């Protein structure tokens, strides 16, 4: 662990293929946007000698050079892997986006990792979204540690931030969140802020001075001892409280000096179990230096305190048909079970899949079975095919370093998996398996798009299919009612990245158009209509006359057709023709171009000609009768109403309910949903919640979640219906 005496004096440079699971650590970095996760990854790579002093790999690129969109937007938008080595241990650092729109990338990182490093800005604090991720990790027992960044900011306060994190993350046990090190401050500047020049190890009681740009170990000064002793005693008590040795606390309270080795071992076990969460601090190395503040301590915490892949429980597996199978273990000699946690497109090598191997060993050029993945509603087809994988590699920025194999517990890139998508399982061809999928957030922000030009239209289908293959948090919909192509996203930033990728990566330019909801029409009262289709222009003519009555029916009834013709005024063979004509007109709408529903159409009377009547003529007459009946009737526009379930912290219930009411919503109930959370149930017109995925985030400060499901269609307020009719008339 980072506070061990005689810590590692060197590093092993770049990462290669691991030879055993016990020498692997998979760590995901979590935190809000701007907390400094990517900067921290680069600092760790520099300290581990994976990059040169300028923070660059051999070709001049940095370890974060992966996506052009990230550089243009100045923020991470996707999961990236940076493998480094420290003390003979391969560390797979999984850098995740901090912005809420890319939570799908975060969840993929959590799936691939065995421990989480929560990166918290010492000047900005802990946001609600980070707290929610912490709770998710706690629910599955994932080991977690906290690292403070931005200690150089004038408003940063290490002690205050430690207390905030203990309250936010400690739950009922704030002593489960304690620092392993406390900062060593330099001389205050003109702004009154003292820079952090080093760290004081509380267990070893040693000072690690970084003021020269390299880590130097010294004993503490006499003036530092009182502060060290107070923090050290609290840390020891926190460690002992988590110890499996029940006699340790009594011995400590009796005044016995607990052996340093015992404390470190208990600390490592508590961290690996996920019951104790150490706090550390880190900063990038100064210009020209190699070791940033706290980087060595972090690397030692990861290698000494975080669990190996052998210690975690693998996801459940079944056969692709749903049959039960024994649990898998992290055994390189076991059956092959791997999962695609991310899919990307490279302009030179094509599709590249980031794969976590949970069992067995993956090798280049072998044929594997691809199974998955139950997201057909989002435009992702289920797979049950064999594929030959291409080269294996380990990513480092834009570089791909070739690997000879990838064992259980490790992560690698696989080239040329043409069918596999994010979430799919790779297994042996003769022993196909399917892993339990991880939970994907539901995309709830609609983006209606149209091809910009004819050449774009020709490429649109392929571009969209490749886009959704990369990102399972997107959903592609071809709405049959509105005849719109809709890409459902998680938020505005997610939407913008999707459009940019279509343009820059797949060469497809699209235009965003207003999203339309699926309205309906119905009759407000009984109405009658007469359809007369009589044409004679020489030769065979057209003759059909029918009279109908249209009556409203209860919601959800649909369309009924009733024949009440007497005396054969409409020959029996033409009754189906009239029905076909009125139903066709109902599908096209009678007022604003939306389908007609919940009416009974009764054929009352009509006339026919022995020569000129035909199926086509009576279809046309039926349609004309429908239009005439509508012309003299009160037509209601029906709008879809959705049931909305909003989960928010208790103190945001009032603002959320007020916001829903402002959207013409009806709150139908609330209920407690766990500690400090409330579930709000409401019914809201769909037309009012097109941007709710964005607006709820603002109302709840990023802590709210919601789901929606269709409830029914209801009459739209007359003033809104009038506006839509006017727009329909202008469009016509």
């Amino acid at each position: 662990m980072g506070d061990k005496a005689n810590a590692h004096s060197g590093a092993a440079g770049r990462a290669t293929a691991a030879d055993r699971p016990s020498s692997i650590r998979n760590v995901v970095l979590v935190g809000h946007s701007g907390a400094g996760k990517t900067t921290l990854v680069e600092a760790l790579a520099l300290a581990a000698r994976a990059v040169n002093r300028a923070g660059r790999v051999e070709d001049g690129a940095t370890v974060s050079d992966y996506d052009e969109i990230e550089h243009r937007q100045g923020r991470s938008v996707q999961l990236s892997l940076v493998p480094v080595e420290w003390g003979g241990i391969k560390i797979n650092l999984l850098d995740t986006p901090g912005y809420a729109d890319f939570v799908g990338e975060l969840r993929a990182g959590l799936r691939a990792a065995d421990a989480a490093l929560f990166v918290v800005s010492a000047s900005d604090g802990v946001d609600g979204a980070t707290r929610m991720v912490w709770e998710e990790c706690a629910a599955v027992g994932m080991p977690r540690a906290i690292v403070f960044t931005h200690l150089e900011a004038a408003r940063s306060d290490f002690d205050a931030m430690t207390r905030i994190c203990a309250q936010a993350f400690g739950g009922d046990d704030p002593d489960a969140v304690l620092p392993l090190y406390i900062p060593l401050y330099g001389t205050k500047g003109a702004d009154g802020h003292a820079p952090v020049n080093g760290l004081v190890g509380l267990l070893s009681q040693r000072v690690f001075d970084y003021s020269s740009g390299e880590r130097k170990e010294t004993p503490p000064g006499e003036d530092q001892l009182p502060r060290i002793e107070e923090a050290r005693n609290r840390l020891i008590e926190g460690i002992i409280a988590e110890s499996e040795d029940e006699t340790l606390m009594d011995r400590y309270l009796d005044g016995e000096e607990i052996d340093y080795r015992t404390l470190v071992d208990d600390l490592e076990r508590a961290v690996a179990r996920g019951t104790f969460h150490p706090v550390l601090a880190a900063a990038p190395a100064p210009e020209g230096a190699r070791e940033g503040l706290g980087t060595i301590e972090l690397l030692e915490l990861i290698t000494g305190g975080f669990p190996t892949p052998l210690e975690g429980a693998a996801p459940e597996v079944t056969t692709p048909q749903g049959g039960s199978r024994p649990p898998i273990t992290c055994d390189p000699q076991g059956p092959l079970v791997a999962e695609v946690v991310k899919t990307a497109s490279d302009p030179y090598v094509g599709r590249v899949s980031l794969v976590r191997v949970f069992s067995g060993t993956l090798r280049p050029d072998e044929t594997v079975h691809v199974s998955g993945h139950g997201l057909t509603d989002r435009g992702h087809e289920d797979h049950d095919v064999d594929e030959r994988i291409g080269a294996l590699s380990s990513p480092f920025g834009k570089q791909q370093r070739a690997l000879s194999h990838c064992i259980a517990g490790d992560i690698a890139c696989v080239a040329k998996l043409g069918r596999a998508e994010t979430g799919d399982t790779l297994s042996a061809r003769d022993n196909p398996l399917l892993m339990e999928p991880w939970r994907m957030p539901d995309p709830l922000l609609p983006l209606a798009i149209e091809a910009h030009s004819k050449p774009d239209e020709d490429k649109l289908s392929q571009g969209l299919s490749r886009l959704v293959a990369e990102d399972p948090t997107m959903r592609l919909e071809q709405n049959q009612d509105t005849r719109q192509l809709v890409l459902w996203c998680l938020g505005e930033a997610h939407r913008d990245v999707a459009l940019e990728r279509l343009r820059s990566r797949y060469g497809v330019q699209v235009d965003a158009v207003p999203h339309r909801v699926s309205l309906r029409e119905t009759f407000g009262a009984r109405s009658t209509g007469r359809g007369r289709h009589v044409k004679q222009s020489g030769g065979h003519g057209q003759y059909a006359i029918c009279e109908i009555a249209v009556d409203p029916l209860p919601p959800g009834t649909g369309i009924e057709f009733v024949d009440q013709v007497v005396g054969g005024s409409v020959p029996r063979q033409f009754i189906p023709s009239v029905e076909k004509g009125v139903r066709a007109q109902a599908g096209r709408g009678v007022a604003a171009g939306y389908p007609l529903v919940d009416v009974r159409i009764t054929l009352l009377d009509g006339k026919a000609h022995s020569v000129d009547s035909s199926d086509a003529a009576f279809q046309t007459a039926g349609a004309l009768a429908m239009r005439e009946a509508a012309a003299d009737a009160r037509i209601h526009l029906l709008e879809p109403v959705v049931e909305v379930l909003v989960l928010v912290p208790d103190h945001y219930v009032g603002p959320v309910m007020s916001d829903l009411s402002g959207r013409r919503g009806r709150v139908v109930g609330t209920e407690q949903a766990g500690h400090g959370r409330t579930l709000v149930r409401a019914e809201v017109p769909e037309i009012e919640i097109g941007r709710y995925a964005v607006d709820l985030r603002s109302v709840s400060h990023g802590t709210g979640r919601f789901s929606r499901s269709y409830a029914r269609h209801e009459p739209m307020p007359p003033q809104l219906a009038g506006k839509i009719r006017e727009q329909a008339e202008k469009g016509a």
Side-chain angles (χ1 to χ4, degrees), residues 292-541:
L293 174 78
T295 53
I296 303 299
E297 288 75 14
L298 265 176
L299 290 168
E300 292 173 351
L301 168 69
I302 291 170
T303 55
F306 280 173
T308 73
L310 295 167
E311 299 170 65
E316 294 182 7
V317 295
T318 63
T319 66
Q321 294 74 35
S324 62
R325 293 300 301 266
I328 60 173
T329 59
C330 186
D331 180 5
Q333 306 303 318
L336 176 63
V337 182
E339 188 171 32
V340 179
V341 295
K342 177 177 175 56
T343 309
S345 292
D346 187 281
Y348 303 105
V349 300
R351 183 177 292 185
V352 177
S353 304
L354 187 66
V355 173
R356 161 75 192 259
V357 181
F358 288 91
S359 173
T361 299
L362 195 63
R363 292 183 172 84
D365 299 322
E366 69 178 337
T367 299
V368 299
H369 188 80
V370 179
S371 304
H373 44 56
L375 294 174
T376 52
D377 62 321
R378 302 190 185 185
H380 303 264
E381 63 178 2
D382 284 347
H383 297 144
D384 193 12
V385 298
D386 291 339
E387 273 203 87
R388 187 177 182 84
I389 68 173
L392 294 182
S393 61
S394 181
F396 204 78
K398 290 184 178 180
Q399 292 184 352
Q400 294 290 335
R401 297 168 175 170
L403 296 177
S404 60
H405 61 278
C406 182
I407 65 169
D410 206 356
I411 305 173
C413 287
V414 180
K416 298 180 180 179
L417 280 176
R419 295 290 299 278
E421 299 180 4
T422 302
D424 283 353
T425 303
L426 308 182
S427 55
R429 181 169 51 177
D430 57 353
N431 186 19
L433 297 171
L434 179 64
M435 297 190 73
E436 178 188 13
W438 71 83
R439 186 168 63 90
M440 296 285 189
D442 195 15
L444 296 169
L445 181 69
L447 171 65
I449 57 175
E450 294 178 351
H452 182 70
S453 64
K454 184 61 171 68
D456 293 313
E457 187 174 341
D458 296 337
K459 297 182 291 185
L460 181 59
S461 177
Q462 183 181 8
L464 286 173
S465 64
R466 294 173 67 183
L467 184 69
V468 298
E470 292 183 17
D471 189 351
T473 62
M474 287 184 181
R475 176 162 59 91
L476 186 62
E477 174 193 14
Q478 181 71 60
N479 192 300
Q480 299 302 319
D481 291 334
T482 63
R483 294 179 291 279
Q484 282 190 317
L485 190 62
V486 183
L487 193 62
W488 290 84
C489 306
L490 294 176
E492 291 178 312
H494 195 211
R495 174 199 64 193
D496 294 343
V497 168
L499 293 175
E500 177 65 15
R501 282 181 176 158
L502 279 174
R503 184 192 63 80
S504 61
R505 187 173 294 177
Y506 305 123
V508 181
Q509 185 76 33
V510 298
D511 297 322
V513 297
H515 175 247
R516 298 193 298 268
V517 300
S518 301
L519 302 181
R520 298 287 187 268
E521 300 173 358
T522 195
F523 278 63
R526 181 182 177 90
S527 181
T528 59
R530 185 172 188 266
R532 184 177 186 274
H533 183 62
V534 177
K535 289 186 178 181
Q536 188 69 47
S537 56
H540 188 67

